[in-house]
Amino acid sequence: MPESIKHDAYYPHPPERVWRAIADGAALAQWLMPNDFQPQVGHRFTFRREPMPAINFDGIIHCEVVACDPPHRLTYTWTGGGLNTVVSFRLEPEGEGTRLYLEHSGFDLSDATNRFAYDGMGPGWRSGLDTSLRKVIDALAAPR
């Protein structure tokens, strides 16, 4: 049975601002990875990071936007380095801010590559949402 990484975080900002941080390519690059993302269903894009030859990963994650409902939901495929998974973000207003729910699904834990990625990406997503994404959202909120 495929496994998922799930995490949620609260941000004291409106959904539109949180959306901008996850659905704008430049903002996304600040907290996740360099990319050529566009928030359009069917758009194919890549994330790029340092290659990891020891696990046969060339550093390129191939993605396709499969759902985009601003500022509520964004879903894209995540394929590369032996993974064929899906990343979903769901935003819900909560009080004066926004609750962001992340699910990265489709990990086959019987596969060593998937297990390695799952074990590393769980803490990575948590840190990304709790620290890196929070900084980007806060910066978007700052007066220019």
Side-chain angles (χ1 to χ4, degrees):
M1 175 115 192
E3 291 291 328
S4 296
I5 296 167
K6 295 180 180 179
H7 184 60
D8 68 278
Y10 175 81
Y11 306 101
H13 303 289
E16 294 77 14
R17 186 167 291 141
V18 177
W19 176 263
R20 194 166 136 212
I22 66 166
D24 174 86
L28 192 58
Q30 289 179 45
W31 72 271
L32 191 53
M33 285 179 269
N35 64 82
D36 55 341
F37 176 82
Q38 292 179 20
Q40 299 170 328
V41 172
H43 177 68
R44 294 177 187 271
F45 67 100
T46 57
F47 285 114
R48 296 186 178 266
R49 58 163 293 145
E50 290 295 316
M52 300 170 78
I55 61 167
N56 200 29
F57 176 50
D58 64 3
I60 302 171
I61 300 144
H62 300 273
C63 304
E64 181 179 352
V65 178
V66 294
C68 184
D69 178 21
H72 309 287
R73 189 175 69 141
L74 175 64
T75 303
Y76 45 83
T77 60
W78 179 289
T79 306
L83 296 181
N84 188 9
T85 57
V86 175
V87 174
S88 298
F89 296 96
R90 182 170 46 93
L91 289 73
E92 292 186 6
E94 183 177 304
E96 297 294 315
T98 303
R99 174 80 48 189
L100 175 71
Y101 296 91
L102 162 84
E103 181 173 6
H104 190 161
S105 60
F107 292 91
D108 175 2
L109 299 186
S110 68
D111 175 85
T113 300
N114 274 241
R115 168 60 79 174
F116 178 80
Y118 178 86
D119 289 345
M121 293 173 89
W125 277 119
R126 179 174 303 281
S127 172
L129 268 57
D130 290 347
T131 304
S132 303
L133 177 57
R134 185 172 307 280
K135 287 179 185 175
V136 170
I137 294 168
D138 289 346
L140 291 172
R144 296 183 190 250

